[in-house]
Structure formats: structure tokens, C-alpha cells
């Protein structure tokens, strides 16, 4: 166990971690894109049904992400996979997601997933599937959660902060769902396209940083 950070430096480290976690999760899940998919999934529903789906989806996704954050590292250890190797693999996955966002491949893929799921389930449980998983808590979000949980180093305060940040992102998604009609009118197709591409560039940089961290850990003496 390494030496504890200096008292004056520790708050800065916590702030940097929480800021990085917030940006990573927000960009990975992209509430603006999700709000557009939410409109398609809930088309034909009453306002009451839409509101129920709007809060159930993020709540279920939060539980899934919480489980990934708590048990993800243990599962990797059980399978004999080092966190460094997972950082590199996870960074590659997030980089692919960023590529889809920048070149407008993510929206059509998620929409196709949603359409297939709705056709199979007949909208019986849209909030759980496909909204909560795989649209909100998809492979990218779950991977990001496991990577961020690994950066806490077992410190309880950082772990609690990460789960608080996750809850904040879920709240943002809930608000995006509740205001989906208004967001769609304000942004339009062009606004959503520009914002998604900008978020994709940010996610690409975060993904590369995850891979660099993994390589540095593997090659450290």
C-alpha cells in the first residue's frame, strides 16, 4: 500500500477523480442521444406511461452499474484478468464507441437494437429492456464503471463519490427523458449530431488515457 497523499493535495485528487468520472459516464451514456431514442421507444404511450418508463429505466440502469462497480473487479480477479489488461481492452471498446459517435454509427445501431427489442417484447417491459440495458447501461457504460471503480484503489470515500456521480448521471438522464420533446424541438437533428460528435471526441481522449494507464501499469518495474 503506497503512502497517503499529502493533506493539501488530497482534495484536489478527489475532485479530479470525481470530475473525470462524471465526464466519462456522461459522455459514454449521452443523455441527449438517449432522449431521442426514448421518444421512439415510448411512441404511442400515454403521458403517465412515459413518466413511469422515464424513471424506471435510469433506476434499473443504476442498479446494474452499481453491481458492476462493486463486483466487476472481483469477477476479473476470479477470471485471472488483471485490471491493467482490462483498462487496455476497455479503452479499446470505449474508443470504438467514440468512433461510432463521431462518424454517426452509434445512433443507428442503438435504434436498431431498440427496434428489435420492441418487436420481440411488444413493449411489455421497455424500461428494463432495451432502455436500461443495453441503451443506458450498455457495454460502454458498464466497462467505464468497472474501470472507474478500479481507480478508487479501494478507498471508501472515492467509491462513495463514484456512486454519487453515477446517481447524478442517472438523474440527468431522467430529466432528459422527461424533457425529451422539448430537447428534440430545441436541438433538432443538426444540434444532436453536433453534440454527439463533440462528446465522441472527448470520449476518444478518455479512452486513450485508460489505455495509457493500463500500459504504464503493465510496464512499471
Amino acid at each position: 500500500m503506497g503512502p497517503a497523499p499529502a493533506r493539501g493535495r488530497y482534495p484536489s485528487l478527489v475532485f479530479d477523480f470525481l470530475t473525470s468520472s462524471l465526464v466519462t459516464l456522461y459522455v459514454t451514456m449521452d443523455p441527449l442521444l438517449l432522449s431521442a431514442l426514448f421518444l421512439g421507444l415510448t411512441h404511442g404511450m400515454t403521458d403517465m406511461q412515459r413518466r413511469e418508463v422515464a424513471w424506471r429505466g435510469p433506476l434499473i440502469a443504476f442498479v446494474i452499474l452499481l453491481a458492476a462497480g462493486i463486483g466487476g473487479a472481483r469477477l476479473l480477479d476470479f477470471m485471472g484478468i488483471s485490471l491493467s489488461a482490462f483498462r487496455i481492452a476497455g479503452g479499446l471498446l470505449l474508443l470504438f464507441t467514440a468512433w461510432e459517435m463521431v462518424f454517426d454509427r452509434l445512433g443507428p445501431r442503438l435504434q436498431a437494437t431498440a427496434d428489435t427489442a420492441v418487436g420481440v417484447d411488444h413493449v411489455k417491459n421497455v424500461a428494463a429492456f432495451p432502455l436500461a440495458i443495453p441503451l443506458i447501461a450498455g457495454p460502454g457504460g458498464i466497462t467505464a464503471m468497472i474501470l472507474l471503480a478500479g481507480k478508487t484503489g479501494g478507498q471508501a470515500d472515492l467509491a462513495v463519490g463514484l456512486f454519487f456521480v453515477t446517481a447524478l448521471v442517472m438523474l440527468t438522464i431522467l430529466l432528459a427523458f422527461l424533457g425529451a420533446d422539448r430537447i428534440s424541438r430545441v436541438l433538432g437533428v443538426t444540434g444532436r449530431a453536433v453534440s454527439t460528435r463533440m462528446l465522441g471526441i472527448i470520449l476518444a481522449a478518455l479512452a486513450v488515457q485508460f489505455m495509457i494507464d493500463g500500459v504504464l501499469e503493465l510496464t512499471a518495474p
Side-chain angles (χ1 to χ4, degrees):
M1 188 173 180
R7 181 174 299 178
R9 177 66 179 149
Y10 187 69
S12 176
L13 292 174
V14 173
F15 178 78
D16 290 345
F17 172 74
L18 295 181
T19 303
S20 172
S21 299
L22 180 63
V23 173
T24 301
L25 292 176
Y26 182 87
V27 171
T28 303
M29 297 177 198
D30 193 354
L32 295 179
L33 175 59
L34 287 174
S35 69
L37 295 173
F38 174 79
L39 285 178
L41 286 172
T42 58
H43 179 70
M45 292 186 182
T46 65
D47 289 342
M48 183 177 294
Q49 289 172 328
R50 274 191 172 189
R51 284 194 295 271
E52 184 175 354
V53 172
W55 70 262
R56 280 182 179 271
L59 179 60
I60 296 171
F62 176 72
V63 173
I64 294 170
L65 293 171
L66 193 67
I70 294 173
R74 292 184 178 88
L75 179 61
L76 292 177
D77 186 59
F78 176 77
M79 297 174 65
I81 302 173
S82 70
L83 191 57
S84 301
F86 189 79
R87 281 198 176 104
I88 297 172
L92 288 171
L93 175 60
L94 293 179
L95 189 61
F96 177 72
T97 301
W99 178 86
E100 288 185 312
M101 293 173 72
V102 172
F103 293 98
D104 196 24
R105 298 291 189 272
L106 182 62
R109 178 171 65 80
L110 293 180
Q111 185 64 62
T113 300
D115 291 342
T116 301
V118 170
V120 172
D121 281 19
H122 304 290
V123 205
K124 287 189 302 184
N125 202 0
V126 170
F129 181 81
L131 192 57
I133 186 169
L135 296 183
I136 300 177
I142 292 173
T143 300
M145 191 68 181
I146 295 175
L147 290 173
L148 291 169
K151 292 181 71 173
T152 63
Q155 294 179 242
D157 52 348
L158 293 183
V160 171
L162 174 59
F163 297 142
F164 174 78
V165 165
T166 306
L168 184 60
V169 174
M170 293 301 106
L171 177 61
T172 304
I173 293 173
L174 169 61
L175 295 177
F177 287 167
L178 295 176
D181 285 314
R182 188 174 302 174
I183 292 173
S184 180
R185 287 195 299 269
V186 171
L187 287 181
V189 176
T190 302
R192 277 199 304 272
V194 171
S195 64
T196 297
R197 282 166 172 77
M198 290 178 62
L199 292 174
I201 294 171
I202 295 173
L203 180 59
L206 291 169
V208 170
Q209 187 61 57
F210 277 129
M211 288 188 285
I212 291 173
D213 291 343
V215 171
L216 289 177
E217 286 183 4
L218 285 176
T219 57

